[in-house]
Amino acid sequence: MAVNTTPESPLPVGEVSRLIGGWIDRLGAVWVEGQITQLSRRPGAGVVFLTLRDPSHDISVGVTCYRQVFDSVADVVSEGARVVVLAKPEWYAPRGQLSLRATEIRPVGVGELLARLEQLKKSLAREGLFARERKKPLPFLPQLIGLVCGRASAAERDVLENARHRWPAVRFEVRNVAVQGVHAVPQVVQAVKELDALDDVDVIIVARGGGSVEDLLPFSDEQLVRTVAQCRTPVVSAIGHEPDNPLLDHVADLRASTPTDAAKKVVPDVGEEFERVRQLRDRARRCVHALLDREERGLAHALARPSIQDPHRMIDERADQIEDLLGRTRRCLRHQLDRAESELTHTHARVVALSPAATLKRGYAVLQREDGHAVRDPGEVEPGQTLRARVSEGEFSVRVDT
């Protein structure tokens, strides 16, 4: 409720604490889930004190309960366990401190955790966070690798030693974080964001050396999954486990079965690359030699052709053929001319035999009038008319008597 105050009439601290307590007292009991980080059971004390923390955020709240409430779950609940608590908020006015008074505590079983993870997995999959097309390819040879792992852990040693053994020049930007417990999620998320913000980092490896389902819960946290999905740098999940897959495996751009496997998949082996280069060089050399051999054989085959060895042979052959053709042409032409000459001679003889001159040579004469027309009918001339008589050897004049 709003309270009217001024600088001249402020409320005392006790009054403010009392008002806050009155408002909190009106709140009902709620079910709260969290992870126990501190547990205090003093011998002979009737009250148990514990701290309940949100695994995904750096937020915790104190919880108190009567010993008989905690004793009912004491055999299965300890520090680090996940629990669900039915509690009512309480305000301790003298210290201005908020706490929860628990009336029932229930441990969260592995089966229930796995069921929740499966629901979260389906929800994130529907959003497309696990889609294959979102996966970013890893660079062939990363110059700087970001590594998120536990401090002085076997996972860190495996990644560093195997990567540097494969490619000695590779460099690492390491972020040591808690990889289990209540601080794991915020520290891993912060480390991934820091490495993703560095322009020189080519790929990020999140590594852990395996563990139980409870130990691997931070790597299935929704906040971490969404952080990895938003990274512009390729992320490799290297959680050393096989039976279960944390959600980090599905959202990461590459999943490695162990930290050692991550080093092998991210960094190429210098020996293998040298061998590959040697094989490619030998293959290229063989290809060039094969090409040169083929061209040499082709050139030798071309040089062995008669037209190359004796280039004038074809011309000589063609010259002989031309001579033969010219001879045939001459003979054919001569034959044609001889036949034409013979036909002309026979024709000339026939023409001569049939010509008027030949007739005149046989003693005949041709009478012509003065106009040159030949006389063919006696009725064409008159008595006393002078005609010209043409004979074989010349002509003379004649007169018509009757």
mmCIF file of all heavy atoms in Angstrom, residues 88-125:
data_model
loop_
_atom_site.group_PDB
_atom_site.id
_atom_site.type_symbol
_atom_site.label_atom_id
_atom_site.label_comp_id
_atom_site.label_asym_id
_atom_site.label_seq_id
_atom_site.Cartn_x
_atom_site.Cartn_y
_atom_site.Cartn_z
ATOM 1 N N LYS A 88 5.832 -20.624 3.236
ATOM 2 C CA LYS A 88 5.151 -19.334 3.328
ATOM 3 C C LYS A 88 6.200 -18.256 3.571
ATOM 4 O O LYS A 88 7.073 -18.396 4.440
ATOM 5 C CB LYS A 88 4.140 -19.330 4.469
ATOM 6 C CG LYS A 88 3.313 -18.055 4.553
ATOM 7 C CD LYS A 88 2.337 -18.137 5.697
ATOM 8 C CE LYS A 88 1.444 -16.901 5.706
ATOM 9 N NZ LYS A 88 2.202 -15.635 5.756
ATOM 10 N N PRO A 89 6.176 -17.159 2.767
ATOM 11 C CA PRO A 89 7.148 -16.085 2.988
ATOM 12 C C PRO A 89 6.981 -15.452 4.357
ATOM 13 O O PRO A 89 5.859 -15.236 4.839
ATOM 14 C CB PRO A 89 6.821 -15.085 1.867
ATOM 15 C CG PRO A 89 6.077 -15.866 0.841
ATOM 16 C CD PRO A 89 5.321 -16.912 1.592
ATOM 17 N N GLU A 90 8.110 -15.165 5.001
ATOM 18 C CA GLU A 90 8.103 -14.518 6.319
ATOM 19 C C GLU A 90 9.094 -13.354 6.305
ATOM 20 O O GLU A 90 10.126 -13.408 5.606
ATOM 21 C CB GLU A 90 8.493 -15.512 7.422
ATOM 22 C CG GLU A 90 7.455 -16.569 7.716
ATOM 23 C CD GLU A 90 7.860 -17.451 8.893
ATOM 24 O OE1 GLU A 90 9.052 -17.390 9.275
ATOM 25 O OE2 GLU A 90 7.003 -18.178 9.424
ATOM 26 N N TRP A 91 8.768 -12.357 7.078
ATOM 27 C CA TRP A 91 9.615 -11.171 7.176
ATOM 28 C C TRP A 91 10.102 -11.026 8.604
ATOM 29 O O TRP A 91 9.328 -10.900 9.541
ATOM 30 C CB TRP A 91 8.833 -9.941 6.743
ATOM 31 C CG TRP A 91 9.632 -8.667 6.789
ATOM 32 C CD1 TRP A 91 9.555 -7.686 7.722
ATOM 33 C CD2 TRP A 91 10.613 -8.248 5.857
ATOM 34 N NE1 TRP A 91 10.414 -6.666 7.442
ATOM 35 C CE2 TRP A 91 11.098 -6.982 6.279
ATOM 36 C CE3 TRP A 91 11.141 -8.795 4.689
ATOM 37 C CZ2 TRP A 91 12.070 -6.280 5.581
ATOM 38 C CZ3 TRP A 91 12.098 -8.068 4.003
ATOM 39 C CH2 TRP A 91 12.570 -6.836 4.453
ATOM 40 N N TYR A 92 11.429 -11.034 8.778
ATOM 41 C CA TYR A 92 12.010 -10.867 10.114
ATOM 42 C C TYR A 92 12.313 -9.381 10.278
ATOM 43 O O TYR A 92 13.317 -8.865 9.776
ATOM 44 C CB TYR A 92 13.278 -11.705 10.240
ATOM 45 C CG TYR A 92 13.876 -11.705 11.618
ATOM 46 C CD1 TYR A 92 13.132 -12.118 12.725
ATOM 47 C CD2 TYR A 92 15.183 -11.275 11.815
ATOM 48 C CE1 TYR A 92 13.680 -12.123 13.988
ATOM 49 C CE2 TYR A 92 15.738 -11.273 13.087
ATOM 50 C CZ TYR A 92 14.987 -11.702 14.169
ATOM 51 O OH TYR A 92 15.534 -11.696 15.437
ATOM 52 N N ALA A 93 11.417 -8.704 10.979
ATOM 53 C CA ALA A 93 11.462 -7.241 11.060
ATOM 54 C C ALA A 93 12.747 -6.700 11.679
ATOM 55 O O ALA A 93 13.302 -5.708 11.188
ATOM 56 C CB ALA A 93 10.240 -6.720 11.808
ATOM 57 N N PRO A 94 13.281 -7.287 12.766
ATOM 58 C CA PRO A 94 14.484 -6.685 13.362
ATOM 59 C C PRO A 94 15.661 -6.574 12.394
ATOM 60 O O PRO A 94 16.448 -5.626 12.478
ATOM 61 C CB PRO A 94 14.786 -7.626 14.533
ATOM 62 C CG PRO A 94 13.467 -8.217 14.899
ATOM 63 C CD PRO A 94 12.740 -8.374 13.610
ATOM 64 N N ARG A 95 15.811 -7.538 11.513
ATOM 65 C CA ARG A 95 16.930 -7.494 10.570
ATOM 66 C C ARG A 95 16.494 -7.121 9.141
ATOM 67 O O ARG A 95 17.338 -7.020 8.256
ATOM 68 C CB ARG A 95 17.629 -8.849 10.535
ATOM 69 C CG ARG A 95 18.313 -9.227 11.840
ATOM 70 C CD ARG A 95 19.066 -10.535 11.668
ATOM 71 N NE ARG A 95 19.723 -10.929 12.916
ATOM 72 C CZ ARG A 95 20.420 -12.056 13.061
ATOM 73 N NH1 ARG A 95 20.533 -12.899 12.022
ATOM 74 N NH2 ARG A 95 20.982 -12.335 14.217
ATOM 75 N N GLY A 96 15.205 -6.951 8.949
ATOM 76 C CA GLY A 96 14.729 -6.646 7.595
ATOM 77 C C GLY A 96 15.091 -7.752 6.627
ATOM 78 O O GLY A 96 15.588 -7.486 5.532
ATOM 79 N N GLN A 97 14.840 -9.014 6.995
ATOM 80 C CA GLN A 97 15.278 -10.159 6.212
ATOM 81 C C GLN A 97 14.077 -11.003 5.824
ATOM 82 O O GLN A 97 13.217 -11.308 6.649
ATOM 83 C CB GLN A 97 16.270 -10.993 7.024
ATOM 84 C CG GLN A 97 16.845 -12.178 6.274
ATOM 85 C CD GLN A 97 17.880 -12.911 7.105
ATOM 86 O OE1 GLN A 97 18.190 -12.480 8.237
ATOM 87 N NE2 GLN A 97 18.402 -13.992 6.569
ATOM 88 N N LEU A 98 14.057 -11.386 4.516
ATOM 89 C CA LEU A 98 12.984 -12.231 3.994
ATOM 90 C C LEU A 98 13.450 -13.679 4.008
ATOM 91 O O LEU A 98 14.581 -13.995 3.626
ATOM 92 C CB LEU A 98 12.621 -11.835 2.557
ATOM 93 C CG LEU A 98 11.577 -12.713 1.852
ATOM 94 C CD1 LEU A 98 10.215 -12.574 2.519
ATOM 95 C CD2 LEU A 98 11.481 -12.357 0.362
ATOM 96 N N SER A 99 12.579 -14.588 4.423
ATOM 97 C CA SER A 99 12.883 -16.013 4.397
ATOM 98 C C SER A 99 11.597 -16.777 4.096
ATOM 99 O O SER A 99 10.510 -16.194 4.019
ATOM 100 C CB SER A 99 13.481 -16.481 5.726
ATOM 101 O OG SER A 99 12.534 -16.301 6.785
ATOM 102 N N LEU A 100 11.752 -18.088 3.915
ATOM 103 C CA LEU A 100 10.606 -18.951 3.662
ATOM 104 C C LEU A 100 10.501 -19.957 4.809
ATOM 105 O O LEU A 100 11.496 -20.554 5.211
ATOM 106 C CB LEU A 100 10.775 -19.700 2.329
ATOM 107 C CG LEU A 100 10.886 -18.851 1.061
ATOM 108 C CD1 LEU A 100 11.130 -19.740 -0.151
ATOM 109 C CD2 LEU A 100 9.620 -18.019 0.859
ATOM 110 N N ARG A 101 9.278 -20.112 5.332
ATOM 111 C CA ARG A 101 9.014 -21.109 6.373
ATOM 112 C C ARG A 101 8.434 -22.336 5.672
ATOM 113 O O ARG A 101 7.320 -22.309 5.164
ATOM 114 C CB ARG A 101 8.050 -20.573 7.409
ATOM 115 C CG ARG A 101 7.530 -21.604 8.394
ATOM 116 C CD ARG A 101 8.611 -22.053 9.374
ATOM 117 N NE ARG A 101 8.973 -20.965 10.288
ATOM 118 C CZ ARG A 101 9.764 -21.130 11.338
ATOM 119 N NH1 ARG A 101 10.301 -22.335 11.572
ATOM 120 N NH2 ARG A 101 10.054 -20.110 12.118
ATOM 121 N N ALA A 102 9.226 -23.440 5.570
ATOM 122 C CA ALA A 102 8.810 -24.635 4.847
ATOM 123 C C ALA A 102 7.988 -25.539 5.735
ATOM 124 O O ALA A 102 8.333 -25.777 6.896
ATOM 125 C CB ALA A 102 10.034 -25.378 4.320
ATOM 126 N N THR A 103 6.912 -26.038 5.174
ATOM 127 C CA THR A 103 6.085 -27.015 5.887
ATOM 128 C C THR A 103 6.152 -28.383 5.220
ATOM 129 O O THR A 103 5.703 -29.369 5.811
ATOM 130 C CB THR A 103 4.626 -26.544 5.926
ATOM 131 O OG1 THR A 103 4.165 -26.339 4.584
ATOM 132 C CG2 THR A 103 4.497 -25.244 6.708
ATOM 133 N N GLU A 104 6.725 -28.447 4.049
ATOM 134 C CA GLU A 104 6.867 -29.725 3.350
ATOM 135 C C GLU A 104 8.031 -29.617 2.368
ATOM 136 O O GLU A 104 8.189 -28.593 1.689
ATOM 137 C CB GLU A 104 5.584 -30.102 2.612
ATOM 138 C CG GLU A 104 5.657 -31.481 1.959
ATOM 139 C CD GLU A 104 4.346 -31.855 1.277
ATOM 140 O OE1 GLU A 104 3.359 -31.104 1.430
ATOM 141 O OE2 GLU A 104 4.321 -32.895 0.580
ATOM 142 N N ILE A 105 8.840 -30.658 2.298
ATOM 143 C CA ILE A 105 9.981 -30.704 1.386
ATOM 144 C C ILE A 105 9.906 -32.000 0.583
ATOM 145 O O ILE A 105 9.743 -33.080 1.161
ATOM 146 C CB ILE A 105 11.324 -30.633 2.140
ATOM 147 C CG1 ILE A 105 11.417 -29.332 2.945
ATOM 148 C CG2 ILE A 105 12.496 -30.744 1.166
ATOM 149 C CD1 ILE A 105 12.685 -29.241 3.794
ATOM 150 N N ARG A 106 10.031 -31.865 -0.730
ATOM 151 C CA ARG A 106 10.001 -33.039 -1.604
ATOM 152 C C ARG A 106 11.247 -33.032 -2.494
ATOM 153 O O ARG A 106 11.516 -32.015 -3.166
ATOM 154 C CB ARG A 106 8.748 -33.044 -2.486
ATOM 155 C CG ARG A 106 7.446 -33.152 -1.730
ATOM 156 C CD ARG A 106 6.279 -33.178 -2.709
ATOM 157 N NE ARG A 106 4.994 -33.207 -2.021
ATOM 158 C CZ ARG A 106 3.823 -33.234 -2.668
ATOM 159 N NH1 ARG A 106 3.791 -33.236 -3.994
ATOM 160 N NH2 ARG A 106 2.703 -33.253 -1.979
ATOM 161 N N PRO A 107 11.992 -34.102 -2.497
ATOM 162 C CA PRO A 107 13.135 -34.162 -3.419
ATOM 163 C C PRO A 107 12.653 -34.335 -4.861
ATOM 164 O O PRO A 107 11.630 -34.980 -5.113
ATOM 165 C CB PRO A 107 13.915 -35.389 -2.943
ATOM 166 C CG PRO A 107 12.889 -36.249 -2.286
ATOM 167 C CD PRO A 107 11.883 -35.314 -1.656
ATOM 168 N N VAL A 108 13.379 -33.737 -5.771
ATOM 169 C CA VAL A 108 13.068 -33.869 -7.195
ATOM 170 C C VAL A 108 13.839 -35.074 -7.714
ATOM 171 O O VAL A 108 15.078 -35.073 -7.736
ATOM 172 C CB VAL A 108 13.449 -32.601 -7.981
ATOM 173 C CG1 VAL A 108 13.160 -32.789 -9.464
ATOM 174 C CG2 VAL A 108 12.684 -31.404 -7.439
ATOM 175 N N GLY A 109 13.147 -36.119 -8.148
ATOM 176 C CA GLY A 109 13.795 -37.338 -8.607
ATOM 177 C C GLY A 109 14.374 -37.187 -10.005
ATOM 178 O O GLY A 109 14.055 -36.261 -10.757
ATOM 179 N N VAL A 110 15.254 -38.143 -10.348
ATOM 180 C CA VAL A 110 15.879 -38.128 -11.678
ATOM 181 C C VAL A 110 14.835 -38.277 -12.775
ATOM 182 O O VAL A 110 14.891 -37.602 -13.814
ATOM 183 C CB VAL A 110 16.932 -39.259 -11.775
ATOM 184 C CG1 VAL A 110 17.504 -39.345 -13.183
ATOM 185 C CG2 VAL A 110 18.040 -39.038 -10.773
ATOM 186 N N GLY A 111 13.863 -39.146 -12.541
ATOM 187 C CA GLY A 111 12.823 -39.326 -13.560
ATOM 188 C C GLY A 111 12.052 -38.052 -13.816
ATOM 189 O O GLY A 111 11.745 -37.710 -14.967
ATOM 190 N N GLU A 112 11.751 -37.314 -12.758
ATOM 191 C CA GLU A 112 11.025 -36.056 -12.931
ATOM 192 C C GLU A 112 11.886 -35.032 -13.649
ATOM 193 O O GLU A 112 11.405 -34.280 -14.506
ATOM 194 C CB GLU A 112 10.594 -35.532 -11.560
ATOM 195 C CG GLU A 112 9.700 -34.301 -11.642
ATOM 196 C CD GLU A 112 9.221 -33.865 -10.265
ATOM 197 O OE1 GLU A 112 9.524 -34.567 -9.279
ATOM 198 O OE2 GLU A 112 8.535 -32.831 -10.189
ATOM 199 N N LEU A 113 13.193 -35.005 -13.309
ATOM 200 C CA LEU A 113 14.087 -34.075 -14.001
ATOM 201 C C LEU A 113 14.180 -34.385 -15.480
ATOM 202 O O LEU A 113 14.138 -33.484 -16.337
ATOM 203 C CB LEU A 113 15.483 -34.146 -13.361
ATOM 204 C CG LEU A 113 15.629 -33.556 -11.965
ATOM 205 C CD1 LEU A 113 17.026 -33.820 -11.441
ATOM 206 C CD2 LEU A 113 15.341 -32.061 -11.976
ATOM 207 N N LEU A 114 14.294 -35.671 -15.802
ATOM 208 C CA LEU A 114 14.383 -36.066 -17.209
ATOM 209 C C LEU A 114 13.091 -35.736 -17.953
ATOM 210 O O LEU A 114 13.122 -35.347 -19.125
ATOM 211 C CB LEU A 114 14.703 -37.558 -17.315
ATOM 212 C CG LEU A 114 16.088 -37.988 -16.808
ATOM 213 C CD1 LEU A 114 16.260 -39.487 -16.920
ATOM 214 C CD2 LEU A 114 17.186 -37.259 -17.571
ATOM 215 N N ALA A 115 11.956 -35.896 -17.291
ATOM 216 C CA ALA A 115 10.682 -35.561 -17.923
ATOM 217 C C ALA A 115 10.613 -34.067 -18.222
ATOM 218 O O ALA A 115 10.149 -33.639 -19.291
ATOM 219 C CB ALA A 115 9.519 -36.001 -17.032
ATOM 220 N N ARG A 116 11.069 -33.242 -17.277
ATOM 221 C CA ARG A 116 11.070 -31.790 -17.506
ATOM 222 C C ARG A 116 12.018 -31.421 -18.644
ATOM 223 O O ARG A 116 11.721 -30.553 -19.475
ATOM 224 C CB ARG A 116 11.467 -31.066 -16.234
ATOM 225 C CG ARG A 116 10.462 -31.193 -15.101
ATOM 226 C CD ARG A 116 10.917 -30.396 -13.888
ATOM 227 N NE ARG A 116 10.038 -30.603 -12.748
ATOM 228 C CZ ARG A 116 10.226 -30.031 -11.550
ATOM 229 N NH1 ARG A 116 11.273 -29.250 -11.365
ATOM 230 N NH2 ARG A 116 9.387 -30.265 -10.570
ATOM 231 N N LEU A 117 13.178 -32.084 -18.668
ATOM 232 C CA LEU A 117 14.128 -31.804 -19.750
ATOM 233 C C LEU A 117 13.547 -32.190 -21.105
ATOM 234 O O LEU A 117 13.780 -31.502 -22.102
ATOM 235 C CB LEU A 117 15.443 -32.564 -19.503
ATOM 236 C CG LEU A 117 16.299 -32.077 -18.344
ATOM 237 C CD1 LEU A 117 17.564 -32.919 -18.241
ATOM 238 C CD2 LEU A 117 16.664 -30.603 -18.505
ATOM 239 N N GLU A 118 12.802 -33.285 -21.136
ATOM 240 C CA GLU A 118 12.192 -33.700 -22.405
ATOM 241 C C GLU A 118 11.150 -32.692 -22.860
ATOM 242 O O GLU A 118 11.054 -32.374 -24.055
ATOM 243 C CB GLU A 118 11.556 -35.088 -22.235
ATOM 244 C CG GLU A 118 11.037 -35.693 -23.526
ATOM 245 C CD GLU A 118 12.138 -35.964 -24.535
ATOM 246 O OE1 GLU A 118 13.304 -36.145 -24.102
ATOM 247 O OE2 GLU A 118 11.840 -35.979 -25.742
ATOM 248 N N GLN A 119 10.377 -32.166 -21.935
ATOM 249 C CA GLN A 119 9.413 -31.128 -22.292
ATOM 250 C C GLN A 119 10.119 -29.869 -22.797
ATOM 251 O O GLN A 119 9.710 -29.270 -23.800
ATOM 252 C CB GLN A 119 8.534 -30.796 -21.079
ATOM 253 C CG GLN A 119 7.608 -31.929 -20.650
ATOM 254 C CD GLN A 119 6.795 -31.559 -19.429
ATOM 255 O OE1 GLN A 119 6.994 -30.513 -18.815
ATOM 256 N NE2 GLN A 119 5.879 -32.444 -19.033
ATOM 257 N N LEU A 120 11.198 -29.479 -22.095
ATOM 258 C CA LEU A 120 11.950 -28.307 -22.532
ATOM 259 C C LEU A 120 12.579 -28.552 -23.902
ATOM 260 O O LEU A 120 12.600 -27.652 -24.760
ATOM 261 C CB LEU A 120 13.033 -27.979 -21.503
ATOM 262 C CG LEU A 120 13.946 -26.788 -21.832
ATOM 263 C CD1 LEU A 120 13.138 -25.511 -21.989
ATOM 264 C CD2 LEU A 120 15.013 -26.626 -20.751
ATOM 265 N N LYS A 121 13.071 -29.761 -24.115
ATOM 266 C CA LYS A 121 13.676 -30.102 -25.404
ATOM 267 C C LYS A 121 12.663 -29.958 -26.537
ATOM 268 O O LYS A 121 12.962 -29.384 -27.597
ATOM 269 C CB LYS A 121 14.222 -31.531 -25.352
ATOM 270 C CG LYS A 121 14.809 -32.023 -26.659
ATOM 271 C CD LYS A 121 15.283 -33.464 -26.518
ATOM 272 C CE LYS A 121 15.785 -34.011 -27.847
ATOM 273 N NZ LYS A 121 16.233 -35.420 -27.730
ATOM 274 N N LYS A 122 11.462 -30.464 -26.339
ATOM 275 C CA LYS A 122 10.429 -30.358 -27.378
ATOM 276 C C LYS A 122 10.046 -28.903 -27.618
ATOM 277 O O LYS A 122 9.841 -28.483 -28.767
ATOM 278 C CB LYS A 122 9.197 -31.170 -26.966
ATOM 279 C CG LYS A 122 9.442 -32.671 -26.942
ATOM 280 C CD LYS A 122 8.185 -33.423 -26.528
ATOM 281 C CE LYS A 122 8.433 -34.933 -26.511
ATOM 282 N NZ LYS A 122 7.218 -35.684 -26.089
ATOM 283 N N SER A 123 9.958 -28.131 -26.555
ATOM 284 C CA SER A 123 9.595 -26.720 -26.692
ATOM 285 C C SER A 123 10.647 -25.951 -27.487
ATOM 286 O O SER A 123 10.331 -25.181 -28.398
ATOM 287 C CB SER A 123 9.409 -26.091 -25.306
ATOM 288 O OG SER A 123 9.167 -24.704 -25.411
ATOM 289 N N LEU A 124 11.932 -26.176 -27.153
ATOM 290 C CA LEU A 124 13.007 -25.483 -27.872
ATOM 291 C C LEU A 124 13.115 -25.973 -29.314
ATOM 292 O O LEU A 124 13.451 -25.198 -30.220
ATOM 293 C CB LEU A 124 14.331 -25.697 -27.138
ATOM 294 C CG LEU A 124 14.410 -25.114 -25.729
ATOM 295 C CD1 LEU A 124 15.747 -25.467 -25.087
ATOM 296 C CD2 LEU A 124 14.224 -23.602 -25.753
ATOM 297 N N ALA A 125 12.835 -27.248 -29.538
ATOM 298 C CA ALA A 125 12.875 -27.784 -30.906
ATOM 299 C C ALA A 125 11.795 -27.145 -31.762
ATOM 300 O O ALA A 125 12.020 -26.857 -32.955
ATOM 301 C CB ALA A 125 12.716 -29.303 -30.877
#
